Amino acid sequence: MLYTAHFGAAVLGCYLVALVMLRSRWPASCPTIAILCWQGIGLAVGLSAIGIPISIGLAPYDEPPGTAFRILAEDLAGGRLPAELGVGHLALISVGLGIGVVLFWSTGASLRHAAKARQRQRELLALVGRADPAAPGALVLDHPSAAAYCVPGLRPRVVISVGALSLLPRDELAAVLSHEEAHAKERHDLVLLPFTALVRALPGVSWVVRAMAAVALLVEMRADDRARRQHTDASLAAALARFATAPSHATPAGMLGAADHDIVARVRRLRAPLGPTPLAAVAALVVSSGLATLPIALFIS
């Protein structure tokens, strides 16, 4: 049961780190580090959920899960099994493999759902979108509400509405477009994918839903940081504040919108001076990396 305890410790560690991060202020000041931490937590939770029942089922081999699984495969191929490996053990191994299938399926389902939504959006944009010198590199929609979003993918497009063009001065518009271009260049849709899949696979787990919301906000903050490198903090903050008070158009499903997540927190963050990386952020990155490494090491051992 030693290896099961290791998987269990990884899950417990992930839960504790997640709770600390959800209650801490440092992720807003270091969104890149916080996103990496969440990726490590998500990977560790997924692998450990698979590993716990498998390691219990493979306990009679008294070997690390990776080695024990290879021995089991050889025994099954040879038509022999150790006497202490019973139906219950095989059932637990099947449960672990089933969890892996569910996680794989939910990831694939999330990818398919997002791909269909983006394809529909591209087809719509091909019909109603147009170029405009006021928004270089973007497609303009003739809609009176304020909207700015990215259609991610291999052929990303930045979309902005006529309402947003009339709402934003030139410097603020440029900052918003840079924000959306950051989503496209850094493939933030793929950053969100593991948590979209986890929410789909574990819809009733509240901390997974909270983690998804936290990562979505961090992705927006990361895009804010990319935009603020080329434009003033005041321009981007003012643009977000205008979106908050103007009639806005909901961002289509599967897209990444400039004004989708907690505008107040993001504006407050942009107006505050940047400080050094907190020690807590470095510690969280080290711990989450270790938690992700542990189940991987158990599986490949």
Side-chain angles (χ1 to χ4, degrees), residues 68-288:
F69 205 85
R70 288 191 290 271
I71 296 174
L72 174 62
E74 292 172 1
D75 287 347
L76 289 173
R80 61 185 184 277
L81 288 173
E84 54 279 16
L85 192 73
V87 174
H89 293 98
L90 293 175
L92 285 168
I93 294 170
S94 299
V95 168
L97 294 175
I99 292 173
V101 170
V102 168
L103 292 175
F104 181 80
W105 174 86
S106 63
T107 301
S110 298
L111 274 172
R112 290 192 300 274
H113 179 77
K116 288 180 180 178
R118 291 164 193 165
Q119 183 59 35
R120 288 194 298 269
Q121 187 65 203
R122 290 190 181 96
E123 292 171 355
L124 174 65
L125 291 172
L127 295 174
V128 300
R130 59 179 175 82
D132 191 312
L139 286 176
V140 176
L141 287 179
D142 288 314
H143 198 286
S145 298
Y149 58 91
C150 166
V151 183
L154 296 177
R155 295 178 291 112
R157 299 307 303 260
V158 173
V159 181
I160 193 159
S161 67
V162 168
L165 286 180
S166 61
L167 175 72
L168 302 174
R170 180 175 298 180
D171 60 331
E172 296 176 18
L173 173 63
V176 169
L177 293 177
S178 293
H179 172 101
E180 294 306 327
E181 289 167 0
H183 282 317
K185 291 177 181 177
E186 297 192 354
R187 291 306 306 270
H188 289 162
D189 56 310
L190 297 182
V191 174
L192 292 168
L193 176 63
F195 294 92
T196 304
L198 274 177
V199 170
R200 185 184 293 270
L202 304 169
V205 182
S206 61
W207 78 267
V208 173
V209 177
R210 293 175 65 194
M212 172 69 188
V215 175
L217 178 56
L218 289 168
V219 160
E220 293 301 325
M221 291 179 173
R222 170 63 186 169
D224 289 343
D225 286 347
R226 282 290 299 265
R228 75 199 304 187
R229 293 177 189 174
Q230 305 172 40
H231 310 278
T232 65
D233 294 354
S235 295
L236 183 56
L240 292 176
R242 290 182 195 276
F243 272 112
T245 57
S248 60
H249 177 65
T251 301
M255 313 305 135
L256 298 169
D260 282 351
H261 299 278
D262 205 341
I263 292 179
V264 173
R266 290 164 58 198
V267 170
R268 186 184 304 119
R269 174 178 178 270
L270 287 167
R271 289 174 175 170
L274 288 173
T277 301
L279 182 60
V282 178
L285 181 59
V286 171
V287 172
S288 60

Side-chain angles (χ1 to χ4, degrees), residues 26-89:
W26 70 260
S29 63
C30 307
T32 303
I33 292 178
I35 288 170
L36 291 174
C37 290
W38 280 116
Q39 295 294 322
I41 290 170
L43 178 61
V45 168
L47 291 178
S48 296
I50 298 169
I52 288 174
I54 287 180
S55 61
I56 297 174
L58 293 172
Y61 285 106
D62 196 25
E63 295 282 353
T67 302
F69 205 85
R70 288 191 290 271
I71 296 174
L72 174 62
E74 292 172 1
D75 287 347
L76 289 173
R80 61 185 184 277
L81 288 173
E84 54 279 16
L85 192 73
V87 174
H89 293 98

